[in-house]
Amino acid sequence: MANIFFLQFLLLISASSLTHISGQSVPPPPPTAATTPLPRAAQEFLDAHNKARAEVGVGPLTWSPMLAKETSLLVRFQRDKQNCSFANLTSEKYGGNQLWASGMVVTPRMAVDSWVAEKKSYNYANNSCTGDDKCGVYTQVVWKKSMELGCAQATCSKGPATLTICFYNPPGNVIGEKPY
């Protein structure tokens, strides 16, 4: 038993001596994912969302690699197995927006701008959409309690078409609550 404790002591001493080599400190580890730049498309999604949020005084979203992976899997499934149709997002644990556009390839900014365009149909005073217009994708973009974002796009084979899906965590559009 004493031999085990002595061995553990030697391992501890050896491990602590590895942090200094010739009296110099070992350089810090490489940057983590939080400090590495985002891919261009991810940054474009994030910037477009945060611009709309700043316009109504809502704090910025952060990019979630986990949400991005989930949207990537879903958008590829929709492209490959569902003929690029809309996904059913009602059973998701996240908030979601999606856009299908044909005749052109849609950039991340264009997708978010199309959702933000619904702002003109949102009446903040009574927290509703005007007339028969829809505004739920806009309110999800600016939902103050959503903190994380992950998005993905797929180019569809039926003509130049693009399917875009974004997930938000926590989800927004809670009935009876204002988005901001």
Side-chain angles (χ1 to χ4, degrees):
M1 185 69 123
N3 287 343
I4 292 175
F5 289 122
F6 180 71
L7 184 58
Q8 287 177 335
F9 176 74
L10 285 177
L11 287 173
L12 182 62
I13 297 293
S14 298
S16 65
S17 67
L18 291 176
T19 60
H20 289 82
I21 300 171
S22 302
Q24 297 178 356
S25 295
V26 174
T32 63
T35 59
T36 55
L38 292 174
R40 185 197 57 76
Q43 191 64 58
E44 192 173 332
F45 275 120
L46 195 58
D47 290 347
H49 275 83
N50 287 337
K51 178 180 182 271
R53 293 169 69 86
E55 289 172 0
V56 294
V58 176
L61 295 168
T62 59
W63 187 257
S64 166
M66 186 265 309
L67 290 177
K69 180 179 179 182
E70 292 212 20
T71 56
S72 179
L73 291 171
L74 180 58
V75 81
R76 286 183 287 150
F77 174 80
Q78 292 304 121
R79 179 194 64 202
D80 299 340
K81 305 291 185 192
Q82 301 297 317
N83 199 25
C84 224
S85 62
F86 273 133
N88 178 358
L89 301 181
T90 58
S91 63
E92 294 296 328
K93 58 186 171 187
Y94 309 112
N97 280 342
Q98 54 188 327
L99 174 74
W100 187 90
S102 66
M104 66 177 144
V105 175
V106 175
T107 66
R109 181 168 309 282
M110 291 166 65
V112 177
D113 286 349
S114 75
W115 298 328
V116 172
E118 287 188 359
K119 180 179 183 177
K120 67 183 180 301
S121 300
Y122 178 65
N123 181 324
Y124 183 80
N126 64 13
N127 192 30
S128 66
C129 304
T130 57
D132 291 334
D133 293 335
K134 298 195 182 311
C135 60
V137 293
Y138 165 69
T139 55
Q140 177 59 81
V141 168
V142 297
W143 195 263
K144 67 183 170 204
K145 292 181 182 175
S146 292
M147 306 305 286
E148 297 178 304
L149 172 71
C151 304
Q153 292 183 302
T155 302
C156 308
S157 61
K158 50 183 175 181
T162 305
L163 179 62
T164 304
I165 299 176
C166 288
F167 281 162
Y168 305 82
N169 187 40
N173 291 333
V174 177
I175 296 173
E177 286 186 33
K178 289 186 174 183
Y180 50 90

